[in-house]
Amino acid sequence: MELKIIEHDFSICKVPDLSAVHLDKAYYFLSKTDEELSLVCLSEDIPANATDRDAGWRGFRIQGILDFSLVGILAKLSAVLADNNIGIFAVSTFNTDYIFTKADHFAAALSALAAAGYRIAD
C-alpha cells in the first residue's frame, strides 16, 4: 500500500460557524456534531474566528480510492504508529483516509510505516 506525503503544515481548529472559513482553499476537512464544529486546514488558512487551535501537524493519505468493503486499513496503520508511541488524528473522506501526526513525530511515523512494509511517496 502506498502512502502519499502532503507537503504542508496543518492545524486542527474549533470554529463557531463557517463564516470565516474559505472553502476554496486546497485542504479543508470539516466535522460537525451536536457538540462542535471542527476543522483541519493548512496552518496558513486558520480562520479568524477559530476558538481553539492546535498547530504543528503533518499528514499523508493512502494513495488511491479505497473501496468501502475493505476492512482494517486504518486500524493497521494506526496500530503501527501506536506501537511506536505516535499519536494520530485521522480523517476519512469518500475516497480515502488521511492521517496526521504532530510534526516532531512525522519522520518517525514514516520510518515506522516503511519498516512495516508501506511504500512512502512524496
Side-chain angles (χ1 to χ4, degrees), residues 14-16 19-22 28 39 45-53:
K14 275 179 144 180
V15 293
S19 63
V21 177
H22 298 285
Y28 271 104
L39 167 73
D45 296 331
I46 294 172
N49 68 342
T51 58
D52 249 329
R53 68 190 71 186

Side-chain angles (χ1 to χ4, degrees), residues 14-104:
K14 275 179 144 180
V15 293
D17 56 54
L18 299 177
S19 63
V21 177
H22 298 285
L23 296 175
D24 59 336
K25 299 295 184 177
Y27 290 95
Y28 271 104
F29 302 92
L30 293 168
S31 298
K32 184 181 185 311
T33 71
D34 61 333
E35 296 181 337
E36 67 176 302
L37 180 56
S38 293
L39 167 73
V40 178
C41 63
L42 298 180
S43 292
E44 64 198 47
D45 296 331
I46 294 172
N49 68 342
T51 58
D52 249 329
R53 68 190 71 186
D54 190 355
W57 293 82
R58 293 286 316 278
F60 59 86
R61 70 172 165 246
I62 300 170
Q63 266 310 74
I65 297 174
L66 302 177
D67 188 273
F68 288 120
S69 65
L70 298 173
V71 176
I73 292 173
L74 188 57
K76 289 175 185 172
L77 285 162
S78 63
V80 169
L81 297 174
D83 288 345
N84 286 273
N85 204 31
I86 299 170
I88 68 167
F89 188 94
V91 177
S92 295
T93 66
F94 192 90
N95 285 347
T96 194
D97 296 320
Y98 291 75
I99 296 178
F100 299 92
T101 71
K102 290 302 275 186
D104 55 345

